[in-house]
């Protein structure tokens, strides 16, 4: 069936005019160019956001929303620490930095790159005091509650007396008249989490050994992974930091934030695109020139690559609307694959110089078409991975191969019509190599030779595969240089460990139940800090006591204002006339509660609002009364509220995690508390798809065997498929022997080893006249592919390194094994003939 279809298509090609074919090709390339230009004008862009490469996790709606909230809260934040020998210098430098950044923001207005420039908020404590003071009867610290529960009011009287005689206390006549035991100041201080940082003159300070660091924070107006935003943010930061360095040359600067990781990733990708792409292109040009000694093959090679890249960009932008930088890095390998068709064409022309370009295209058409289909299917296999970036790679490379294939079929019959110089030397070298392989094959075709060969391969594979280890850590996708990570780690230590990507998601069916759950979780986290499993955490339980806890505090304070008020006033020497006012204020506070709705109206509450997840947008403190991104009122969100489920949720941010497994174990049996570790979850997904990809490879081998059996028969098809299968197995064994851990990127590369390697097998299986032209074409193809993927193995990004290393090994093994299809067949045929003659 396959051979009949190829024959009919080939006949149609032979009957068509080369001029018409070229016209169709030119029209196609022109249309692709115009469409790509239109896409760029309509907003298509180059994407450098590494998050866009990550797989999509299958999460419930509340977990997905929590992940989005945390990413939105932590993303695009910039932290600068100015380290000086004394506090005065650090504060002055920080104020100058903030002044310069704010001046840039004012000058640029809405075009300002950095917003929300801040350090310590000195008015925050005053605002919180004003908010919580009316609720003082429902607030108690743990020691205060314990004292009242045990009827130990004397300890509270002693503490109040001590504050009265302390020059630095909050005590004053107005506070005493409303809170005679001075319970409220301790509750206000309890709101501030324990931290290494402190505030002075509106600047956040931390000690670093004998030095003092002043910390300034800002938020990028746009994503740090947007190349234009990167440039604008870095220009604003650089100008401000230069001004600080000029006035304070002894200052040391520490920088942290996604911006600096994004810049490093962008610079690395751009550098690798230019270096690897240029090296690959120059290598291909050198190959073409050395083999054919003619300008026309060189020009057509460039045309083939260019048309492939054009269609690759066109299809990718059409499907995704953007082109990822890592796609372009992977896409540099397309140069080494797309040129294969040109090699096969010109090698066939060298072997038969009397054959026209049109006839040569028709001659290689069936094999090239089958090779294109298998390679494209291999890329489709890569597209099944859960990575949007890898899906882009699949579309990019498959479309690029289509461009090269169409150029060969449509443009070569007319453009490649000129004769080539004498090419006997390259063909003679290929023939010599084949002759050596044939002699070697004669030894392998004997029982002893086949046994020894099989034994060596078996031992190699068994030893190597048993030594294979697995590593699916997503952090291999992008690793920032030490110049970015070391200052960030130092700054994180200054901020008590900073905030990690892992967090707790606490859920409950009601608002009150959620607040009680948060109060239950906090002691467990405090114990984790005591055991050095955790550095710090940020929880709403510190600011939002449950109604139950407020009622408990209220009833305990009733012992003061209903039974012990006379004793309190007398012991502290206060006017007895305060008694009616205090009792009236206490009774009036009975039904007045601290609630999330009122807390989130505060400026401090707005900063913490992303940690609160209401069942729907209309009830959410973040969006209540505000506009959504599309300009619709928040009430519209109520219609979609069911998408988020009926549960309330709260995020507890974690920082300075030292023992993630121990921390997970604390909440392992609590269904209402979930430790969200996106890195681990994505790594688990990678492991799942690694196994799935290897199974897909086995399935592809089976399908190829059935497909090729229709054309070659089962025995020959089995040999054709065995070559890339054995190459993949040897590659895995070599990775095991060299200690390279197996990951999804290795598995994806093996899919391509199959897709490209099967081409070599097909050409040798279809070869005639001892296959000198095929040997030369396969040699050049393998060289160009090894150039492309071998260069990827030198990438600084570990994922790309793994990809390139695996492909280099796989293609190398395929190149060594694929000629054995032809030489073994010849050797077996010769032995058969000799046996027949003897008989």
């Amino acid at each position: 069936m396959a051979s009949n279809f190829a024959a009919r298509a080939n006949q149609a090609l032979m009957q068509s005019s080369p001029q018409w074919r070229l016209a169709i090709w030119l029209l196609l390339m022109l249309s692709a160019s115009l469409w790509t230009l239109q896409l760029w004008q309509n907003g298509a862009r180059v994407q450098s956001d590494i998050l866009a490469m990550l797989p999509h996790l299958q999460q419930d709606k509340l977990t997905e929303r929590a992940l989005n909230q945390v990413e939105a809260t932590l993303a695009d934040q910039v932290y600068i620490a100015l380290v000086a020998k004394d506090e005065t210098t650090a504060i002055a430098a920080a104020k100058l930095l903030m002044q310069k950044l704010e001046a840039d923001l004012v000058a640029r207005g809405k075009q300002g790159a950095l917003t929300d420039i801040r350090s310590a908020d000195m008015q925050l404590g005053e605002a919180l005091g004003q908010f919580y003071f009316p609720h003082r009867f429902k607030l108690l610290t743990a020691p205060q509650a314990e004292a009242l529960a045990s009827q130990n009011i004397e300890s509270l009287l002693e503490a109040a007396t001590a504050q009265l005689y302390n020059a630095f206390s909050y005590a004053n006549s107005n506070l005493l008249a409303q809170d005679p035991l001075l319970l409220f100041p301790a509750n206000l201080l309890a709101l501030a989490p324990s931290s290494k940082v402190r505030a002075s003159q509106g600047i956040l300070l931390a000690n670093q050994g004998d030095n003092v660091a002043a910390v300034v924070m800002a938020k990028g107006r746009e994503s740090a992974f947007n190349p234009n935003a990167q440039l604008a943010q870095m220009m604003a930061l650089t100008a401000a930091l230069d001004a600080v360095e000029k006035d304070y040359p002894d200052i040391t600067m520490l920088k942290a934030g996604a911006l600096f990781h994004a810049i490093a990733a962008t610079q690395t990708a751009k550098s690798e695109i230019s270096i690897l792409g240029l090296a690959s292109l120059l290598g291909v040009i050198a190959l073409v020139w050395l083999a054919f000694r003619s300008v026309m093959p060189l020009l057509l090679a460039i045309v083939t690559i260019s048309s492939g890249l054009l269609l690759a960009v066109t299809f990718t932008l059409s499907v995704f609307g953007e082109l990822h930088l890592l796609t372009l890095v992977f896409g540099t390998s397309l140069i080494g694959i797309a040129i294969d068709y040109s090699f096969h064409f010109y090698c066939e022309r060298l072997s038969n110089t009397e054959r026209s370009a049109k006839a040569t295209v028709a001659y290689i058409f069936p094999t090239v078409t089958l090779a294109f289909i298998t390679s494209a299917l291999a890329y489709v296999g890569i597209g099944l991975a859960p990575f949007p970036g890898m899906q882009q790679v699949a579309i990019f490379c498959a479309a690029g191969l289509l461009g090269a294939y169409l150029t060969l079929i449509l443009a070569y019959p007319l453009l490649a019509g000129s004769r080539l110089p004498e090419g006997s030397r390259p063909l003679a070298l290929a023939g010599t190599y084949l002759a050596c392989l044939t002699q070697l094959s004669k030894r392998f075709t004997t029982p002893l030779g086949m046994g020894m060969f099989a034994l060596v391969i078996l031992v190699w594979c068994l030893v190597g595969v048993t030594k294979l280890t697995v590593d699916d850590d997503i952090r291999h996708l992008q690793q920032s240089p030490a110049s970015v990570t070391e200052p960030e780690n130092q700054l994180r230590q200054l901020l008590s460990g900073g905030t990690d990507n892992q967090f707790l998601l606490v859920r409950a069916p009601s608002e009150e139940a959620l607040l009680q759950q948060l109060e239950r979780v906090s002691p467990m986290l405090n114990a984790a800090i005591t055991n050095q499993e955790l550095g710090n955490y940020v929880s709403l339980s510190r600011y939002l006591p449950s109604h139950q806890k407020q009622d408990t505090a209220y009833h305990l304070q009733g012992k003061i204002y209903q039974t012990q008020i006379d004793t309190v006033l007398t012991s502290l020497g206060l006017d007895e006339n305060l008694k009616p006012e205090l009792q009236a204020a206490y009774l009036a506070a009975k039904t007045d509660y601290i609630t999330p709705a009122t807390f989130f109206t505060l400026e401090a509450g707005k900063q913490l609002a992303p940690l609160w997840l209401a069942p729907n947008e209309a009830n959410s403190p973040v969006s209540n009364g505000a506009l959504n991104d599309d300009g619709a009122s928040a009430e519209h969100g109520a219609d979609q509220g069911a998408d988020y489920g009926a549960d309330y949720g709260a995020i507890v941010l974690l920082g300075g995690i030292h023992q993630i497994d121990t921390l997970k174990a604390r909440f392992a049996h609590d269904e209402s508390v979930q430790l969200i570790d996106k890195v681990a979850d994505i790594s688990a997904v990678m492991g799942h798809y690694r196994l799935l990809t290897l199974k897909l490879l086995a399935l592809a081998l089976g399908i190829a065997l059935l497909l090729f059996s229709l054309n070659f028969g089962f025995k020959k098809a089995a040999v054709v498929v065995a070559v890339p299968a054995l190459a993949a197995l040897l590659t895995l064994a070599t990775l095991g022997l060299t200690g390279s851990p197996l990951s999804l990127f290795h598995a994806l590369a093996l899919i391509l080893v199959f897709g490209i390697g099967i081409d070599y097998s097909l050409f040798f299986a279809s070869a005639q006249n001892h296959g000198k032209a095929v040997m030369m074409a396969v040699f050049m193809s393998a060289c160009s592919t090894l150039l492309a993927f071998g260069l990827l193995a030198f990438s600084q990004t570990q994922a790309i390194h793994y990809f390139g290393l695996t492909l280099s090994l796989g293609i190398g093994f395929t190149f060594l094994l694929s000629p054995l299809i032809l030489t073994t067949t010849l050797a077996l045929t010769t032995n058969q003939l000799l046996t027949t003659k003897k008989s």
Side-chain angles (χ1 to χ4, degrees):
M1 185 185 296
S3 57
N4 289 338
F5 172 78
R8 287 196 297 270
N10 204 1
Q11 186 177 4
L13 280 173
M14 286 298 293
Q15 292 174 353
S16 61
S17 165
Q19 288 79 7
W20 274 109
R21 288 200 220 176
L22 183 62
I24 293 171
W25 179 80
L26 289 172
L27 181 62
L28 178 65
M29 293 300 124
L30 179 62
S31 301
S33 301
L34 294 175
W35 178 245
T36 302
L37 183 62
Q38 180 70 21
L39 290 172
W40 282 116
Q41 291 177 343
N42 289 341
R45 62 194 178 112
V46 174
Q47 171 67 272
S48 64
D49 187 351
I50 200 68
L51 298 177
M53 291 285 286
L54 300 181
H56 300 299
L57 295 174
Q58 297 299 318
Q59 305 278 10
D60 63 85
K61 292 296 182 180
L62 190 63
T63 303
E64 183 179 349
R65 189 177 171 203
L67 282 166
N68 293 337
Q69 290 279 66
V70 171
E71 287 177 4
T73 302
L74 300 181
D76 309 325
Q77 293 284 348
V78 175
Y79 303 86
I80 305 294
L82 304 171
V83 184
K85 293 181 179 179
D86 59 87
E87 185 173 306
T88 303
T89 305
I91 291 174
K95 287 184 175 180
L96 177 60
L97 176 61
M98 294 174 68
Q99 177 187 341
K100 294 296 182 181
L101 291 176
E102 286 167 354
D104 178 81
L105 182 60
V106 171
R108 297 177 182 272
K110 291 185 177 181
Q111 302 301 318
L114 294 169
T115 64
D116 194 18
I117 300 152
R118 66 199 186 280
S119 188
D121 189 349
M122 300 302 290
Q123 298 179 341
L124 180 62
E126 183 180 348
L128 288 174
Q130 292 175 355
F131 173 76
Y132 284 107
F133 189 73
H135 304 285
R136 62 191 178 278
F137 299 108
K138 294 190 175 180
L139 295 172
L140 285 175
T141 64
Q144 290 171 351
E146 184 180 349
L148 288 173
S150 62
Q151 305 290 334
N152 186 14
I153 199 163
E154 288 78 12
S155 64
L156 298 179
L157 286 168
E158 291 175 5
T161 304
Q163 286 194 59
L164 286 172
Y165 294 101
N166 187 343
F168 299 99
S169 75
Y170 293 94
N172 57 56
S173 58
N174 185 44
L175 180 60
L176 281 168
Q178 300 178 76
D179 181 21
L181 282 177
L182 299 175
L183 301 178
F184 179 71
N187 284 277
L188 190 61
L189 288 173
L191 295 175
S194 58
S195 174
K196 298 178 183 178
V197 298
R198 63 186 189 279
S200 177
Q201 301 181 40
I203 301 298
L204 200 63
L205 299 173
N207 292 330
Q208 189 190 49
D210 296 332
N211 299 325
V212 178
V215 181
V216 175
M217 295 162 281
K219 185 175 179 65
R221 189 183 294 276
E222 296 182 63
S223 170
F225 295 100
N226 181 316
N228 293 330
Q230 284 178 22
L231 180 61
Q233 290 174 29
M234 277 308 298
M235 286 179 62
L237 268 178
T238 302
L241 291 173
D242 285 348
V244 172
E245 191 174 12
K246 181 180 179 181
D247 289 359
Y248 303 95
D250 295 331
I251 285 283
T252 301
M253 299 176 186
L254 303 176
K255 295 179 283 188
L259 172 65
F260 308 107
H261 292 276
I263 289 173
T266 302
Q267 290 175 344
T268 299
K270 286 181 177 178
S271 172
E272 290 181 356
I273 289 168
S274 57
I275 294 174
L276 301 183
L278 180 61
S280 181
L281 184 60
L282 291 176
V284 168
I285 289 172
L287 270 175
V288 174
W289 179 257
L290 290 172
F292 306 119
R293 304 286 183 171
S294 174
V295 174
M296 185 53 69
L298 192 56
L299 292 176
L300 277 181
I302 295 173
V303 169
T304 303
I305 293 170
S306 301
S307 60
L309 291 175
L310 174 60
L311 283 195
V313 172
T314 303
F315 273 74
T316 305
L317 292 180
S318 299
V319 174
F320 297 98
E322 62 183 19
L323 190 60
H324 202 285
L325 276 175
L326 287 184
T327 301
L328 291 175
V329 175
F330 278 107
T332 57
S333 62
L334 179 63
I335 296 171
I337 305 172
I339 200 65
D340 288 0
Y341 303 137
S342 182
F343 289 159
H344 284 289
F345 172 85
Y346 276 109
C347 288
E348 285 297 336
R349 288 216 69 190
L350 275 180
S351 67
N352 189 345
T353 55
E354 300 301 321
R355 186 187 291 149
S356 67
K358 181 179 177 181
T360 303
V361 169
Y363 177 75
I364 65 173
F365 173 78
T367 308
V368 168
T369 301
L370 196 55
F372 163 70
I373 292 172
T374 52
S375 296
L377 288 174
Y379 281 115
V380 170
I382 287 182
L384 295 177
F387 294 86
M390 295 310 296
Q391 291 164 359
Q392 276 199 25
V393 170
I395 294 291
F396 187 92
C397 292
L401 283 181
L402 176 63
Y405 172 77
L406 291 177
T407 302
L408 171 69
I409 302 302
L410 299 176
Y412 274 52
L414 187 63
L415 296 182
S418 59
R419 286 182 174 273
L420 290 174
E422 177 58 39
S424 58
R425 179 173 174 76
L427 286 173
L429 290 174
T432 303
Y433 179 71
L434 272 176
C436 293
L437 284 179
T438 303
Q439 292 297 320
L440 189 62
S441 297
K442 288 179 181 178
R443 297 180 182 179
F444 287 152
T445 52
T446 64
L448 179 62
M450 292 182 69
M452 290 297 294
F453 179 74
L455 181 62
V456 170
I457 296 296
L458 182 62
V459 171
W460 188 347
C461 293
L462 282 176
V463 174
V465 171
T466 53
K467 287 189 174 183
L468 263 181
T469 56
V470 173
D471 186 0
D472 297 307
D473 196 335
I474 187 61
R475 283 167 288 200
H476 294 325
L477 188 63
Q478 179 64 51
Q479 292 178 316
S480 297
S483 59
V484 173
T485 57
E486 288 180 3
E488 181 172 87
N489 290 335
Q490 292 181 46
L491 206 156
R492 285 170 63 85
Q493 291 303 314
L494 290 177
L495 300 175
S496 301
T499 302
D500 291 327
N501 293 321
Q502 298 90 346
F503 61 91
L504 291 181
L505 173 60
V506 183
R507 63 179 78 211
S510 67
E511 184 177 280
E512 172 64 12
L514 178 60
L515 293 173
Q516 291 181 26
Q517 287 279 46
L518 287 172
E519 289 168 355
R520 185 176 59 81
V521 167
S522 291
M524 300 172 71
L525 292 174
N526 291 333
I529 292 175
T530 303
N531 293 339
Q532 298 185 342
E533 301 165 17
L534 183 68
N536 61 83
Y537 68 93
V538 178
S539 174
L540 288 170
S541 65
R542 194 184 300 275
Y543 305 92
L544 291 172
S546 65
H547 283 201
Q548 182 186 60
K549 187 175 182 180
Q550 292 181 63
D551 286 337
T552 300
Y554 183 79
H555 292 305
L556 286 173
Q557 290 201 49
K559 297 178 180 180
I560 300 173
Y561 296 103
Q562 292 182 324
T563 61
Q564 300 288 334
I565 186 64
D566 293 325
T567 303
V568 170
L569 294 176
T570 302
S571 299
L572 296 175
L574 299 177
D575 191 346
E576 293 183 359
N577 293 328
L578 292 175
K579 177 179 177 179
E581 294 179 12
L582 287 169
Q583 289 182 326
Y586 171 79
L587 292 173
K590 183 175 183 179
T591 57
D592 191 12
Y593 291 94
I594 300 167
T595 63
T598 54
F599 175 73
F600 290 128
T601 60
L602 297 175
E603 189 61 37
K606 290 177 182 177
Q607 295 178 16
L608 294 169
L611 303 183
W612 182 263
L613 305 171
N616 58 60
E617 291 180 350
N619 293 335
S620 170
V622 182
S623 59
N624 193 21
L627 292 180
N628 297 323
D629 291 340
D630 59 358
S633 64
E635 284 77 3
H636 177 70
D639 298 333
Q640 302 170 350
D643 290 342
Y644 294 119
D647 280 354
Y648 281 79
I651 296 166
V652 180
L653 298 177
L654 306 176
I657 298 175
H658 303 296
Q659 300 177 39
I660 184 71
D661 293 334
T662 308
L663 196 60
K664 282 182 178 179
R666 288 183 177 272
F667 306 101
H669 303 293
D670 192 340
E671 294 182 357
S672 64
V673 183
Q674 181 182 1
L675 198 154
I676 306 296
D677 186 354
K678 188 174 181 180
V679 170
D681 292 342
I682 293 175
S683 297
V685 170
M686 287 183 66
H688 168 73
Y689 276 92
R690 170 179 48 78
L691 291 173
L692 186 62
T693 302
L694 293 175
K695 291 177 182 177
L696 178 66
L697 175 60
L699 178 63
L701 289 168
I703 292 173
L705 178 61
L706 293 175
L707 181 64
F708 298 154
S709 295
L710 300 175
N711 201 34
F712 301 117
F714 181 78
K715 288 184 178 180
K716 196 169 185 179
V719 175
V720 170
V721 173
V723 167
L726 185 56
L729 194 59
L730 287 170
T731 300
L732 288 174
T734 306
L735 291 173
L737 290 171
T738 56
S740 179
L742 186 64
S743 71
L744 175 60
F745 299 100
H746 294 92
L748 292 174
L750 288 176
I751 290 284
L752 272 190
V753 168
F754 162 73
I756 300 169
I758 205 77
D759 292 359
Y760 302 166
S761 297
L762 284 171
F763 281 111
F764 277 112
S766 306
Q768 299 175 9
N769 300 325
H770 302 288
K772 287 190 292 184
V774 173
M775 186 66 249
M776 179 181 171
V778 167
F779 171 76
M780 295 184 68
S781 297
C783 286
S784 62
T785 305
L786 286 172
L787 264 176
F789 292 116
L791 290 171
L792 288 183
F794 292 98
S795 172
Q796 297 178 34
T797 304
Q798 207 162 359
I800 300 177
H801 163 75
Y802 286 158
F803 195 84
L805 175 63
T806 307
L807 266 162
S808 298
L809 290 171
I811 295 303
F813 284 126
T814 306
F815 169 73
L816 293 174
L817 293 171
S818 57
L820 295 178
I821 296 174
L822 180 62
T823 56
T824 303
T825 302
L826 289 173
L828 288 172
T829 304
T830 304
N831 288 341
Q832 253 182 351
L833 289 173
L834 290 173
T835 304
T836 304
K837 285 182 179 180
K838 287 180 181 179
S839 62

